Amino acid sequence: MVAVTGSRNATVTLPNDEQILITREFDAPRHLVYKAWTTPELVKRWWSGHRGEMKVAEIDLRVGGRWRYVMVANGGFEVAFHGEYREIVPNQRIVNTEVYELPGAADAEGALNTVTFTEVDGRTTLTLLVQVPTRELRDEILSSGMEVGMQEQLELLEQLAISLR
């Protein structure tokens, strides 16, 4: 397992050539972290980090249900992702697909994400395992600058979850 970073609050590691593992602890109980992760009006408050403004946060939280997030980045361009829920265990685990919407491109093969919420003594550890089909796609995601935005997202997610107490 290769560690990519641990410089801020989240740690990014590479369990194998097709995986990215993000781990972060939150000073909030898991039901509140889960609520902030799965409620559209709350997702709009943290998902874009400090990188832009959320325009769409659609969540049909059921197996087979779809989700879609769209933001207008600070540079004025649109960034959109969508996917389908494969498994949901409320307050514990979500498995979903994730596809980056490239303008004018056919539906690209994306990632399979497994997010788990584990609580100990009122603190939640969130783990997000991103499974992609190739090392090249994994490396492309890592080189996209995703980490800086992800760190911002998770910081805002924690602040939001704390505020829901």
Side-chain angles (χ1 to χ4, degrees), residues 135-154:
R135 180 184 187 147
E136 292 74 26
L137 180 54
R138 181 204 70 182
D139 292 348
E140 186 178 317
I141 292 168
L142 291 170
S143 67
S144 72
M146 64 71 77
E147 188 198 341
V148 174
M150 177 269 303
Q151 295 286 3
E152 291 175 0
Q153 287 177 324
L154 297 180

Side-chain angles (χ1 to χ4, degrees), residues 68-154:
R68 185 167 186 259
Y69 300 161
V70 180
M71 69 176 261
V72 175
N74 292 335
F77 57 93
E78 192 172 275
V79 177
F81 290 85
H82 70 270
E84 179 180 316
Y85 293 104
R86 300 278 176 88
E87 179 185 341
I88 298 169
V89 180
N91 296 313
Q92 294 179 37
R93 177 180 162 100
I94 299 171
V95 179
N96 63 270
T97 59
E98 179 178 7
V99 176
Y100 174 56
E101 297 178 14
L102 289 168
D107 216 19
E109 188 168 11
L112 182 67
N113 296 337
T114 302
V115 61
T116 58
F117 305 83
T118 307
E119 183 178 337
V120 176
D121 296 329
R123 297 181 66 83
T124 301
T125 298
L126 181 146
T127 59
L128 172 57
L129 180 65
V130 180
Q131 176 73 49
V132 293
T134 65
R135 180 184 187 147
E136 292 74 26
L137 180 54
R138 181 204 70 182
D139 292 348
E140 186 178 317
I141 292 168
L142 291 170
S143 67
S144 72
M146 64 71 77
E147 188 198 341
V148 174
M150 177 269 303
Q151 295 286 3
E152 291 175 0
Q153 287 177 324
L154 297 180

